[in-house]
Amino acid sequence: MDRRLKRVFVIVLDSMGMGAMADAARFGDEGADTLGHISQTVEHFYIPNLASLGLANLKSLKQVQPQEHPLGYYAALNEKSNGKDTMTGHWEMMGIETKKPFITFTEHGFPPELIAELEKRCGRKIIGNRAESGTKILEELGEQEIREGKLIVYTSADSVLQICGNEETMGLETLYHYCEIARELTMRDEWRVGRVIARPYVGKKKGEFVRTSNRRDYALKPTGPTALNALQEAGYDVLAVGKIHDIFDGYGITKSLHSTSSVHGMDQTIALAQSDFCGLCFTNLVDFDALWGHRRNPIGYGEEIERFDKKLGELMPLLKKEDLLMITADHGNDPTYKGTDHTREQVPLLLYSPSDQRSGSLPTQDTFAVIGATIADNFGVQMPANTIGTSLLPLL
């Protein structure tokens, strides 16, 4: 690519892995294949826009034929960091290699000392305190939380501390305050989780509880400056859509938009494509992971990909010659696999610009960090010290 682009759009299909990495057995994920197993499970898989960008050239799909002349470039990316969670994946995209994984409390819940301190600071007794599906623990304990003024705290296979709160009886601001307390407490090394997550819900009794879109993530700041900081400091726009602001704790971001769903996130991205900015639009679409991957629903996951593809068909005609679109994922979450955890998988990278004169396959890359390095290279910005990644621009 011999010209500098004005706008780059990075869209993360949260958890859409495409096959186990070579070291997947070390994570207990041998044989996982999010995209492949969805294709094998669903009856219909209509994704013409993703196909046009070369997705079926990159990954064999039962219902989708490879393109003879794909519109863009495509590559498989391996994760270099030691992990398979949202923060690790996104941070690596922007240049950070995480060598020490975040602490998890999957087996025994949070230690009594942390629970006691959280109870003291919040003034409520804690119930739950185990690794569990958020919808399941809410059905089980929601009535008790409301009736007795308790506080549902739980975790998962990720490095998270999650707190449920009823918007009508507890109030959103109260829930957020409790999460701020939990974030402060979990800055201690022995309790240091990657994220504290507020999980608000509505409803008065079992069978009626519904989680709302007012979730809020309280993440750790990245361990160092990323490509986002480099762009921001050079005066470029860094626009965050969806969970991106939470994942980076606002670090290196100039404007953020909260999304209520993945379709909403795409609508926001489409609106930004119709606006005038110079820099990066970084979008996370979380429903793939939260609604379908963790809940082990391959049919719903496939339908979510189809909904995305339809919105992609609205976005692509808005792209100009000085734009670059990059579609990728941050880890896997195979909805046909054991458990409810993320899976250690390669992820796709699809690249498209209306100015492309050529297209086709790129070599498999050994890190997600090629994404941030490519963006920085395009804008003539130096990546921060201690970051990883090599630009793909010389290959385009």
Side-chain angles (χ1 to χ4, degrees):
M1 192 173 285
D2 57 2
R3 55 178 300 178
R4 186 161 292 178
L5 301 157
K6 180 183 176 184
R7 306 190 302 181
V8 178
F9 295 82
V10 174
I11 301 177
V12 181
L13 310 188
D14 199 306
S15 84
M16 200 184 79
M18 47 169 278
M21 281 179 50
D23 66 354
R26 184 165 65 88
F27 292 81
D29 295 330
E30 200 168 15
D33 184 354
T34 299
L35 188 55
H37 288 154
I38 289 168
S39 174
Q40 290 170 19
T41 303
V42 300
E43 189 173 342
H44 304 290
F45 202 26
Y46 185 63
I47 51 170
N49 297 298
L50 283 166
S52 74
L53 298 180
L55 182 62
N57 298 65
L58 179 62
K59 174 68 178 176
S60 178
L61 301 173
K62 184 175 75 174
Q63 306 88 339
V64 188
Q65 293 300 309
Q67 297 284 303
E68 188 174 349
H69 301 292
L71 295 178
Y73 293 92
Y74 48 88
L77 307 183
N78 286 302
E79 185 166 13
K80 192 168 188 180
S81 294
N82 185 16
K84 54 176 180 176
D85 61 86
T86 297
M87 285 171 57
T88 300
H90 283 77
W91 288 7
E92 182 167 319
M93 288 178 208
M94 295 299 130
I96 290 179
E97 178 185 0
T98 301
K99 296 181 179 179
K100 183 180 179 182
F102 297 112
I103 297 174
T104 58
F105 294 92
T106 310
E107 290 188 15
H108 306 294
F110 300 103
E113 297 82 5
L114 171 56
I115 293 297
E117 189 61 27
L118 193 54
E119 287 179 335
K120 179 181 173 185
R121 295 278 299 275
C122 295
R124 292 178 186 250
K125 282 290 181 184
I126 286 170
I127 54 177
N129 189 26
R130 65 176 189 267
E132 188 57 89
S133 155
T135 52
K136 185 176 177 182
I137 205 164
L138 182 54
E139 276 298 287
E140 179 190 331
L141 299 176
E143 289 183 359
Q144 183 184 358
E145 177 174 76
I146 295 168
R147 184 178 64 250
E148 300 176 8
K150 301 286 178 66
L151 195 60
I152 300 171
V153 173
Y154 67 106
T155 188
S156 72
D158 288 347
S159 179
V160 293
L161 184 154
Q162 306 189 73
I163 304 179
C164 290
N166 189 289
E167 291 192 7
E168 298 154 315
T169 59
M170 183 182 295
L172 265 179
E173 293 308 315
T174 301
L175 173 61
Y176 292 159
H177 177 60
Y178 293 158
C179 289
E180 288 164 5
I181 292 169
R183 178 70 281 178
E184 179 192 334
L185 292 174
T186 55
M187 294 304 290
R188 284 173 52 171
D189 279 348
E190 63 269 35
W191 301 338
R192 200 163 182 257
V193 294
R195 285 176 294 162
V196 171
I197 305 177
R199 290 290 196 176
Y201 66 96
V202 292
K204 294 292 195 300
K205 61 182 181 180
K206 188 181 293 190
E208 296 179 356
F209 295 129
V210 178
R211 296 200 295 191
T212 75
S213 61
N214 293 317
R215 162 181 169 161
R216 186 173 291 180
D217 292 38
Y218 299 79
L220 296 173
K221 262 196 168 47
T223 51
T226 70
L228 304 184
N229 301 96
L231 291 170
Q232 181 190 44
E233 289 165 12
Y236 290 100
D237 296 309
V238 182
L239 312 178
V241 178
K243 273 181 18 177
I244 299 298
H245 180 277
D246 294 338
I247 292 165
F248 289 88
D249 198 30
Y251 202 39
I253 291 165
T254 61
K255 179 182 178 182
S256 63
L257 299 173
H258 171 72
S259 305
T260 57
S261 69
S262 289
V263 168
H264 183 217
M266 279 303 292
D267 286 337
Q268 292 169 311
T269 304
I270 289 164
L272 289 171
Q274 295 171 297
S275 70
D276 184 36
F277 71 90
C278 184
L280 171 65
C281 172
F282 195 3
T283 298
N284 172 278
L285 305 178
V286 72
D287 287 353
F288 301 93
D289 187 51
L291 296 185
W292 314 117
H294 283 301
R295 297 185 191 176
R296 293 300 186 248
N297 186 338
I299 306 298
Y301 203 129
E303 291 171 348
E304 192 72 51
I305 296 173
E306 289 184 330
R307 283 191 287 274
F308 166 75
D309 192 87
K310 188 174 180 180
K311 287 296 178 183
L312 179 59
E314 296 176 29
L315 174 64
M316 287 174 63
L318 300 174
L319 299 178
K320 303 170 184 177
K321 287 194 172 183
E322 61 270 24
D323 293 339
L324 173 64
L325 172 65
M326 308 172 82
I327 299 174
T328 191
D330 52 344
H331 49 73
N333 197 345
D334 186 343
T336 71
Y337 207 63
K338 62 188 178 184
T340 60
D341 190 11
H342 295 159
T343 42
R344 175 81 166 178
E345 298 184 47
Q346 288 187 326
V347 301
L349 176 62
L350 308 177
L351 303 103
Y352 166 70
S353 173
S355 63
D356 285 342
Q357 300 297 312
R358 296 170 294 171
S359 64
S361 176
L362 298 176
T364 297
Q365 303 295 312
D366 65 359
T367 173
F368 299 174
V370 295
I371 294 171
T374 299
I375 297 165
D377 186 19
N378 172 71
F379 290 109
V381 169
Q382 187 77 28
M383 284 289 287
N386 302 316
T387 53
I388 61 171
T390 304
S391 172
L392 297 176
L393 288 190
L395 303 178
L396 306 183

